[in-house]
Amino acid sequence: PVCIEFYTSGRCPRRGPHGQACMYRHVLKDDPNKVDQNAPTGTAAAKVADRVKPRIPADWVSKSSRRHPLVDTKVDGDKLASIAERVAERISSMQAQREVRRKAENAAEEAVAAAKIEQAQAALDAADAAEAEAQAEVRLCFF
């Protein structure tokens, strides 16, 4: 959020809890002479940062960056084509693996269904046999 008092008048009398600076952003309106009152210009940390920054050369590289250099981002057409081919091959192999896995799952489901059908058929056959025996006993009793 923007500090409205600073935005309109260029000054901000507000202070946050424990006497710290205003907690809102100090955005300049139109006047280039307005200054952010809460900018850390006179602090010791700002002075140290100002002294240290000019000493670091623009082409400075850390030791870890020298040990682990960045990969060259320039890729020629042949490398790009080979990368695209490898990606296409990988995608097609993944699709083939998915298809094989799907077929195996379907075969397993069919095998389970066939086993359930066989069990149900065996149960029906056993029930039919028991019913036939019961009918035979009933006939014996009446004759």
Side-chain angles (χ1 to χ4, degrees):
V2 176
C3 178
I4 298 299
E5 293 174 11
F6 185 83
Y7 185 78
T8 56
S9 67
R11 297 192 53 76
C12 177
R14 276 199 237 162
R15 292 290 172 253
H18 309 293
Q20 65 189 17
C22 178
M23 294 182 287
Y24 298 102
R25 281 189 306 127
H26 287 177
V27 177
L28 302 175
K29 187 175 182 181
D30 294 331
D31 187 12
N33 296 328
K34 287 185 183 178
V35 178
D36 187 354
Q37 296 170 339
N38 296 332
T41 54
T43 63
K47 290 176 184 176
V48 169
D50 288 342
R51 276 187 281 146
V52 172
K53 282 181 186 176
R55 291 184 189 171
I56 299 174
D59 58 345
W60 179 80
V61 179
S62 68
K63 289 181 182 177
S64 63
S65 294
R66 275 185 248 133
R67 277 183 272 154
H68 308 287
L70 297 175
V71 177
D72 187 17
T73 56
K74 295 179 182 178
V75 179
D76 61 347
D78 295 336
K79 284 185 180 178
L80 189 60
S82 67
I83 290 171
E85 288 175 9
R86 285 189 295 186
V87 168
E89 289 173 5
R90 178 71 176 146
I91 289 172
S92 64
S93 68
M94 288 173 62
Q95 288 174 345
Q97 288 174 355
R98 263 192 226 121
E99 184 67 24
V100 167
R101 199 175 305 127
R102 187 183 61 77
K103 286 181 181 178
E105 288 173 358
N106 288 345
E109 289 174 1
E110 289 176 4
V112 168
K116 286 182 181 180
I117 290 171
E118 288 177 10
Q119 287 177 349
Q121 189 64 39
L124 286 175
D125 291 343
D128 288 342
E131 186 179 347
E133 283 182 25
Q135 286 178 358
E137 286 181 19
V138 168
R139 284 187 200 143
L140 289 174
C141 292
F142 287 112
F143 296 113

